[in-house]
Amino acid sequence: MTDATEVAKKFAVQGKTKLFNASITMPQGSGLRLVLVAASESGKPDSDLYGVLDRKWKQAKVELKGWYQSRTNFKLGAVKDVATQSDVWLLNMLCLDKDNQVNEKALISCVKEVAKVAAYERASIHCSTLLTDVFPQLQELLMTNLVEKGISVFFYKEPQK
C-alpha cells in the first residue's frame, strides 16, 4: 500500500498529479475542478472531509441531504455533482453503505463515473488525503482510471489545526 505522497511523487514527473499541503477548499489550477467526496447510504454527512468542506461550502451538506431525501438515483455507485462555484464542483460518490463501510464495487463504479465526467468536462480531479486515508484503494483506482488516461489528479493534505 502506498500513501498519497508516494503516488504523487511517482506521477509528478509526468505532470499529471501533484500533492499540495493546502486545504481542498482551495483547489489549485484553472478550468473546471472536481472535488471528490464520499457519501453514505445513510445520507448523513458525518465524515471529517465534510467538516472541512462545510467551513466554505455550506450547501454541500444541504445538497447531500436533499439527494438522500429525494432518492433520485440515490443508489450505491451513483455520483451526484454539486456546483459550489462556477469552476468548482463537488462530486458526491455514493460508495459507503448505511454503516459507513466502503462498498468496493460501488467505489469502482463511482471512480469510473468520475473519469467519464472529468473527460467530458475536461476537468481536473481534486482529492483530499482525508479521503485517501479512509480508502487506500482509491489512490490506485484514480491512477488506473484517470491519471493513466491523461486526467490530472491533485491531492491535498489538510493543514493541521
Side-chain angles (χ1 to χ4, degrees), residues 32-95:
L32 182 60
R33 291 158 287 165
L34 306 175
V35 176
L36 300 183
V37 185
S40 168
E41 279 186 307
S42 69
K44 296 177 184 172
D46 54 6
S47 71
D48 291 339
L49 184 54
Y50 268 105
V52 170
L53 298 174
D54 192 47
R55 290 183 212 128
K56 182 168 184 179
W57 298 310
K58 300 269 185 220
Q59 76 267 34
K61 284 184 182 180
V62 173
E63 292 280 341
L64 177 61
K65 288 178 183 177
W67 185 30
Y68 171 75
Q69 290 170 344
S70 77
R71 296 290 191 192
T72 304
N73 196 30
F74 193 83
K75 61 183 182 220
L76 284 172
V79 175
K80 173 82 165 112
D81 62 87
V82 177
T84 57
Q85 297 169 200
S86 61
D87 59 351
V88 178
W89 298 355
L90 300 183
L91 292 183
N92 284 299
M93 302 183 303
L94 189 50
C95 58

Coordinates of all heavy atoms in Angstrom, one line a residue, residues 32-95:
L32 N -12.3 23.8 -15.0 CA -13.2 23.1 -14.0 C -12.5 22.2 -13.1 O -11.7 21.3 -13.6 CB -14.3 22.4 -14.8 CG -15.4 21.7 -14.0 CD1 -16.1 22.7 -13.1 CD2 -16.3 20.9 -14.9
R33 N -12.7 22.3 -11.8 CA -12.0 21.5 -10.8 C -13.1 20.7 -10.1 O -14.1 21.3 -9.6 CB -11.3 22.3 -9.8 CG -10.0 22.9 -10.6 CD -9.5 24.2 -9.9 NE -10.4 25.3 -10.2 CZ -10.4 26.4 -9.5 NH1 -9.5 26.6 -8.6 NH2 -11.3 27.4 -9.8
L34 N -13.0 19.4 -10.1 CA -13.9 18.5 -9.5 C -13.4 17.9 -8.2 O -12.3 17.2 -8.2 CB -14.3 17.3 -10.4 CG -14.8 17.7 -11.8 CD1 -14.9 16.5 -12.7 CD2 -16.1 18.5 -11.7
V35 N -14.0 18.2 -7.1 CA -13.6 17.8 -5.7 C -14.3 16.5 -5.3 O -15.6 16.5 -5.3 CB -13.8 18.9 -4.7 CG1 -13.4 18.4 -3.3 CG2 -13.0 20.2 -5.1
L36 N -13.6 15.4 -5.0 CA -14.2 14.2 -4.6 C -14.6 14.1 -3.2 O -13.8 14.5 -2.3 CB -13.2 13.0 -4.9 CG -12.8 12.9 -6.4 CD1 -11.9 11.6 -6.5 CD2 -13.9 12.8 -7.3
V37 N -15.8 13.6 -3.0 CA -16.3 13.4 -1.6 C -17.1 12.1 -1.6 O -17.7 11.7 -2.5 CB -17.4 14.5 -1.3 CG1 -17.8 14.4 0.2 CG2 -16.8 15.9 -1.5
A38 N -16.9 11.3 -0.5 CA -17.6 10.0 -0.3 C -18.9 10.3 0.4 O -18.9 11.0 1.4 CB -16.7 9.1 0.5
A39 N -20.0 9.6 -0.1 CA -21.3 9.8 0.6 C -21.7 8.4 1.0 O -21.3 7.4 0.5 CB -22.3 10.3 -0.4
S40 N -22.6 8.4 2.0 CA -23.1 7.2 2.6 C -24.6 7.0 2.3 O -25.3 8.0 2.2 CB -22.9 7.3 4.2 OG -23.6 6.3 4.8
E41 N -25.0 5.7 2.3 CA -26.4 5.4 2.1 C -27.3 6.0 3.2 O -28.5 6.2 3.0 CB -26.7 3.9 2.0 CG -26.3 3.2 0.7 CD -26.7 1.8 0.8 OE1 -26.3 1.1 1.7 OE2 -27.5 1.4 -0.1
S42 N -26.7 6.3 4.3 CA -27.5 6.9 5.4 C -27.9 8.3 5.2 O -28.7 8.9 5.8 CB -26.7 6.8 6.7 OG -25.6 7.7 6.7
G43 N -27.2 9.0 4.2 CA -27.5 10.3 3.9 C -26.9 11.3 4.9 O -27.2 12.5 4.8
K44 N -26.1 10.9 5.8 CA -25.5 11.7 6.9 C -24.1 12.2 6.5 O -23.3 11.3 6.3 CB -25.5 11.0 8.2 CG -26.9 10.7 8.7 CD -26.7 9.9 10.0 CE -28.1 9.5 10.5 NZ -28.1 8.6 11.6
P45 N -23.9 13.5 6.4 CA -22.6 14.0 6.1 C -21.7 14.1 7.3 O -21.5 15.1 7.8 CB -22.9 15.4 5.5 CG -24.1 15.8 6.2 CD -24.9 14.5 6.4
D46 N -21.2 12.9 7.8 CA -20.5 12.9 9.1 C -19.0 12.7 9.0 O -18.4 12.4 10.0 CB -21.2 12.0 10.1 CG -21.3 10.6 9.5 OD1 -20.8 10.3 8.4 OD2 -21.9 9.7 10.2
S47 N -18.5 12.7 7.8 CA -17.0 12.4 7.7 C -16.2 13.7 8.0 O -16.7 14.8 8.0 CB -16.7 12.0 6.3 OG -16.8 13.1 5.4
D48 N -14.9 13.5 8.3 CA -14.0 14.6 8.6 C -13.9 15.5 7.4 O -13.8 16.7 7.5 CB -12.6 14.1 8.9 CG -12.5 13.3 10.2 OD1 -13.4 13.6 11.1 OD2 -11.6 12.6 10.4
L49 N -14.0 15.0 6.2 CA -13.9 15.8 5.0 C -15.1 16.7 4.9 O -15.0 17.9 4.5 CB -13.9 14.9 3.7 CG -13.7 15.6 2.4 CD1 -12.5 16.6 2.4 CD2 -13.6 14.6 1.3
Y50 N -16.3 16.3 5.2 CA -17.5 17.2 5.2 C -17.3 18.3 6.2 O -17.7 19.4 6.0 CB -18.8 16.4 5.5 CG -19.5 16.0 4.2 CD1 -19.4 14.7 3.8 CD2 -20.1 16.9 3.4 CE1 -20.0 14.2 2.7 CE2 -20.7 16.5 2.2 CZ -20.7 15.2 1.8 OH -21.3 14.7 0.7
G51 N -16.6 18.0 7.3 CA -16.3 19.1 8.3 C -15.5 20.2 7.7 O -15.7 21.4 7.9
V52 N -14.5 19.8 6.9 CA -13.6 20.8 6.2 C -14.4 21.5 5.2 O -14.3 22.8 5.1 CB -12.4 20.0 5.6 CG1 -11.6 21.0 4.7 CG2 -11.5 19.5 6.7
L53 N -15.2 20.8 4.3 CA -15.9 21.4 3.3 C -17.0 22.4 3.8 O -17.3 23.4 3.2 CB -16.6 20.4 2.4 CG -15.6 19.4 1.6 CD1 -16.4 18.4 0.9 CD2 -14.7 20.2 0.7
D54 N -17.6 22.0 4.9 CA -18.7 22.8 5.5 C -18.3 24.2 5.9 O -19.1 25.2 5.9 CB -19.3 22.1 6.7 CG -20.6 22.7 7.1 OD1 -21.5 23.0 6.2 OD2 -20.8 22.9 8.3
R55 N -17.0 24.4 6.2 CA -16.5 25.7 6.5 C -16.6 26.7 5.4 O -16.7 27.9 5.6 CB -15.0 25.6 7.0 CG -14.9 25.0 8.4 CD -13.5 24.9 8.9 NE -13.3 23.7 9.6 CZ -12.4 22.8 9.5 NH1 -11.4 23.0 8.6 NH2 -12.3 21.8 10.2
K56 N -16.5 26.2 4.2 CA -16.5 27.1 3.0 C -17.8 26.9 2.2 O -18.3 27.9 1.7 CB -15.3 26.8 2.1 CG -15.3 27.8 0.9 CD -13.9 27.7 0.2 CE -13.9 28.8 -0.9 NZ -12.7 28.8 -1.6
W57 N -18.2 25.7 2.0 CA -19.4 25.4 1.2 C -20.5 24.8 2.0 O -20.7 23.6 2.0 CB -19.0 24.5 0.0 CG -17.9 25.1 -0.9 CD1 -18.0 26.3 -1.5 CD2 -16.7 24.5 -1.3 NE1 -16.9 26.5 -2.2 CE2 -16.1 25.4 -2.2 CE3 -16.1 23.3 -1.1 CZ2 -14.9 25.1 -2.8 CZ3 -14.9 23.0 -1.7 CH2 -14.3 23.9 -2.5
K58 N -21.3 25.6 2.6 CA -22.4 25.1 3.5 C -23.4 24.3 2.7 O -24.0 23.4 3.2 CB -23.1 26.3 4.2 CG -22.2 27.1 5.0 CD -22.2 26.7 6.4 CE -21.4 27.6 7.3 NZ -20.6 26.9 8.3
Q59 N -23.6 24.6 1.4 CA -24.6 23.9 0.6 C -24.2 22.5 0.4 O -25.1 21.7 0.0 CB -24.9 24.7 -0.7 CG -23.8 24.5 -1.7 CD -22.8 25.6 -1.7 OE1 -22.4 26.2 -0.7 NE2 -22.3 26.0 -2.9
A60 N -23.0 22.1 0.6 CA -22.5 20.7 0.4 C -23.4 19.7 1.2 O -23.9 18.7 0.7 CB -21.1 20.5 0.7
K61 N -23.6 20.0 2.5 CA -24.4 19.1 3.3 C -25.9 19.2 3.0 O -26.5 18.2 2.9 CB -24.2 19.5 4.8 CG -23.0 19.1 5.5 CD -23.0 19.4 6.9 CE -21.7 19.0 7.6 NZ -21.7 19.4 9.0
V62 N -26.3 20.4 2.7 CA -27.7 20.6 2.3 C -28.1 19.8 1.0 O -29.1 19.1 0.9 CB -28.0 22.1 2.1 CG1 -29.4 22.3 1.5 CG2 -27.8 22.8 3.4
E63 N -27.2 19.9 0.0 CA -27.4 19.1 -1.2 C -27.3 17.6 -1.0 O -28.1 16.9 -1.6 CB -26.3 19.5 -2.3 CG -26.4 21.0 -2.7 CD -27.5 21.1 -3.8 OE1 -27.9 20.1 -4.4 OE2 -27.9 22.3 -4.0
L64 N -26.4 17.1 -0.2 CA -26.4 15.7 0.1 C -27.7 15.2 0.8 O -28.3 14.2 0.4 CB -25.2 15.4 1.0 CG -25.1 13.9 1.4 CD1 -24.9 13.0 0.2 CD2 -23.9 13.7 2.4
K65 N -28.1 16.0 1.7 CA -29.4 15.6 2.4 C -30.6 15.7 1.4 O -31.5 14.8 1.5 CB -29.7 16.6 3.6 CG -28.7 16.3 4.8 CD -29.0 17.3 5.9 CE -28.0 17.1 7.0 NZ -28.1 18.0 8.1
G66 N -30.6 16.7 0.5 CA -31.6 16.7 -0.5 C -31.6 15.5 -1.4 O -32.7 15.0 -1.8
W67 N -30.4 15.1 -1.8 CA -30.3 14.0 -2.7 C -30.8 12.7 -2.0 O -31.5 11.9 -2.5 CB -28.8 13.8 -3.1 CG -28.5 12.7 -4.1 CD1 -29.3 12.3 -5.1 CD2 -27.3 12.0 -4.2 NE1 -28.7 11.3 -5.8 CE2 -27.4 11.1 -5.3 CE3 -26.1 12.0 -3.5 CZ2 -26.4 10.2 -5.7 CZ3 -25.1 11.2 -3.9 CH2 -25.2 10.3 -5.0
Y68 N -30.4 12.6 -0.7 CA -30.9 11.4 0.1 C -32.4 11.4 0.2 O -33.1 10.4 0.0 CB -30.2 11.5 1.5 CG -30.8 10.5 2.5 CD1 -30.5 9.1 2.4 CD2 -31.7 10.9 3.5 CE1 -31.0 8.2 3.3 CE2 -32.2 9.9 4.4 CZ -31.9 8.6 4.3 OH -32.4 7.7 5.1
Q69 N -33.0 12.6 0.5 CA -34.4 12.7 0.7 C -35.2 12.4 -0.6 O -36.3 11.8 -0.6 CB -34.8 14.0 1.3 CG -34.4 14.1 2.8 CD -34.5 15.5 3.4 OE1 -34.7 16.5 2.7 NE2 -34.4 15.6 4.7
S70 N -34.7 12.9 -1.7 CA -35.4 12.8 -3.0 C -35.3 11.3 -3.5 O -36.2 10.9 -4.2 CB -34.9 13.7 -4.0 OG -33.6 13.3 -4.5
R71 N -34.2 10.6 -3.1 CA -33.9 9.3 -3.6 C -33.8 9.2 -5.1 O -33.8 8.1 -5.6 CB -35.0 8.3 -3.1 CG -35.1 8.1 -1.6 CD -33.9 7.4 -1.2 NE -34.1 7.0 0.2 CZ -33.1 6.6 1.0 NH1 -31.9 6.4 0.4 NH2 -33.3 6.2 2.2
T72 N -33.6 10.3 -5.8 CA -33.4 10.3 -7.2 C -32.0 9.8 -7.5 O -31.1 10.5 -7.2 CB -33.7 11.7 -7.8 OG1 -35.0 12.1 -7.4 CG2 -33.5 11.7 -9.3
N73 N -31.9 8.6 -8.1 CA -30.6 8.0 -8.5 C -29.8 7.9 -7.2 O -28.5 8.0 -7.3 CB -29.9 8.8 -9.6 CG -28.8 8.0 -10.2 OD1 -28.8 6.7 -10.2 ND2 -27.8 8.6 -10.6
F74 N -30.4 7.7 -6.1 CA -29.6 7.5 -4.8 C -29.4 6.0 -4.6 O -30.2 5.4 -3.8 CB -30.4 8.2 -3.6 CG -29.5 8.3 -2.4 CD1 -28.7 9.4 -2.3 CD2 -29.6 7.4 -1.4 CE1 -27.9 9.6 -1.1 CE2 -28.8 7.5 -0.2 CZ -28.0 8.6 -0.1
K75 N -28.4 5.5 -5.2 CA -28.0 4.0 -5.0 C -26.5 3.9 -5.1 O -25.8 4.8 -5.6 CB -28.7 3.2 -6.1 CG -28.2 3.6 -7.5 CD -29.0 2.8 -8.6 CE -28.4 3.2 -9.9 NZ -29.3 3.3 -11.0
L76 N -26.0 2.9 -4.4 CA -24.6 2.7 -4.4 C -24.0 2.7 -5.8 O -24.6 2.1 -6.7 CB -24.3 1.3 -3.7 CG -24.4 1.4 -2.2 CD1 -24.2 -0.1 -1.6 CD2 -23.4 2.3 -1.5
G77 N -22.9 3.4 -5.9 CA -22.2 3.5 -7.2 C -22.6 4.8 -8.0 O -22.0 5.1 -9.0
A78 N -23.6 5.5 -7.5 CA -24.0 6.8 -8.2 C -23.1 7.9 -7.8 O -22.5 7.9 -6.7 CB -25.5 7.1 -7.8
V79 N -23.0 8.9 -8.7 CA -22.3 10.1 -8.4 C -23.2 11.3 -8.6 O -23.9 11.4 -9.6 CB -21.0 10.2 -9.4 CG1 -20.3 11.5 -9.2 CG2 -20.1 9.1 -9.1
K80 N -23.2 12.3 -7.7 CA -24.0 13.5 -7.8 C -23.1 14.7 -7.7 O -22.3 14.8 -6.7 CB -25.0 13.4 -6.7 CG -25.9 14.7 -6.5 CD -27.0 14.7 -7.5 CE -28.1 15.7 -7.1 NZ -28.2 16.8 -8.1
D81 N -23.2 15.6 -8.6 CA -22.4 16.8 -8.6 C -23.2 17.9 -7.9 O -24.4 18.0 -7.9 CB -22.0 17.3 -10.0 CG -23.2 17.6 -10.9 OD1 -23.7 18.8 -10.8 OD2 -23.7 16.7 -11.6
V82 N -22.4 18.8 -7.2 CA -22.9 20.0 -6.6 C -22.0 21.1 -7.0 O -20.8 21.1 -6.7 CB -22.8 19.9 -5.0 CG1 -23.2 21.1 -4.3 CG2 -23.6 18.7 -4.5
A83 N -22.5 22.1 -7.7 CA -21.7 23.3 -8.1 C -21.6 24.2 -7.0 O -22.6 24.8 -6.5 CB -22.4 23.9 -9.3
T84 N -20.4 24.4 -6.5 CA -20.1 25.3 -5.4 C -19.7 26.6 -5.9 O -19.9 27.6 -5.2 CB -19.1 24.7 -4.4 OG1 -17.9 24.5 -5.2 CG2 -19.5 23.4 -3.8
Q85 N -19.1 26.7 -7.0 CA -18.6 27.9 -7.7 C -18.8 27.5 -9.2 O -19.0 26.3 -9.5 CB -17.2 28.2 -7.4 CG -16.9 28.5 -5.9 CD -15.4 28.6 -5.6 OE1 -15.1 28.5 -4.5 NE2 -14.6 28.8 -6.6
S86 N -18.7 28.5 -10.1 CA -18.8 28.2 -11.5 C -17.7 27.2 -12.0 O -18.0 26.5 -12.9 CB -18.8 29.5 -12.3 OG -17.6 30.1 -12.1
D87 N -16.6 27.2 -11.3 CA -15.5 26.4 -11.8 C -15.0 25.4 -10.8 O -14.0 24.7 -10.9 CB -14.3 27.3 -12.2 CG -13.7 28.1 -11.1 OD1 -14.4 28.2 -10.0 OD2 -12.7 28.7 -11.2
V88 N -15.8 25.1 -9.7 CA -15.6 24.1 -8.7 C -16.8 23.4 -8.4 O -17.8 24.0 -8.0 CB -15.0 24.7 -7.4 CG1 -14.8 23.6 -6.4 CG2 -13.7 25.5 -7.6
W89 N -16.8 22.0 -8.6 CA -17.9 21.2 -8.3 C -17.5 20.1 -7.3 O -16.4 19.6 -7.4 CB -18.4 20.4 -9.5 CG -19.0 21.2 -10.7 CD1 -19.2 22.6 -10.7 CD2 -19.4 20.7 -11.9 NE1 -19.6 23.0 -12.0 CE2 -19.8 21.8 -12.7 CE3 -19.4 19.5 -12.5 CZ2 -20.3 21.7 -14.0 CZ3 -19.9 19.3 -13.8 CH2 -20.3 20.4 -14.5
L90 N -18.4 19.8 -6.4 CA -18.1 18.6 -5.5 C -18.8 17.4 -6.2 O -19.9 17.5 -6.8 CB -18.8 18.8 -4.2 CG -18.3 20.0 -3.3 CD1 -19.1 20.0 -2.0 CD2 -16.8 20.0 -3.1
L91 N -18.1 16.3 -6.2 CA -18.7 15.1 -6.7 C -18.9 14.1 -5.6 O -18.0 13.6 -5.0 CB -17.8 14.4 -7.8 CG -17.6 15.2 -9.1 CD1 -16.7 14.4 -10.1 CD2 -18.9 15.5 -9.8
N92 N -20.2 14.0 -5.2 CA -20.5 13.0 -4.1 C -20.6 11.6 -4.7 O -21.4 11.3 -5.6 CB -21.9 13.4 -3.5 CG -21.9 14.6 -2.6 OD1 -21.2 14.5 -1.6 ND2 -22.6 15.6 -3.0
M93 N -19.7 10.8 -4.2 CA -19.6 9.4 -4.7 C -20.3 8.5 -3.6 O -19.8 8.4 -2.5 CB -18.1 8.9 -4.8 CG -17.3 9.8 -5.8 SD -15.6 9.1 -6.0 CE -15.0 9.1 -4.3
L94 N -21.4 7.9 -4.0 CA -22.2 7.1 -3.1 C -21.6 5.7 -3.0 O -21.9 4.8 -3.8 CB -23.6 7.1 -3.5 CG -24.6 6.4 -2.5 CD1 -24.5 6.9 -1.1 CD2 -26.0 6.6 -3.0
C95 N -20.6 5.6 -2.1 CA -19.8 4.3 -2.1 C -19.7 3.7 -0.7 O -19.0 2.8 -0.5 CB -18.4 4.5 -2.7 SG -17.5 5.8 -1.8

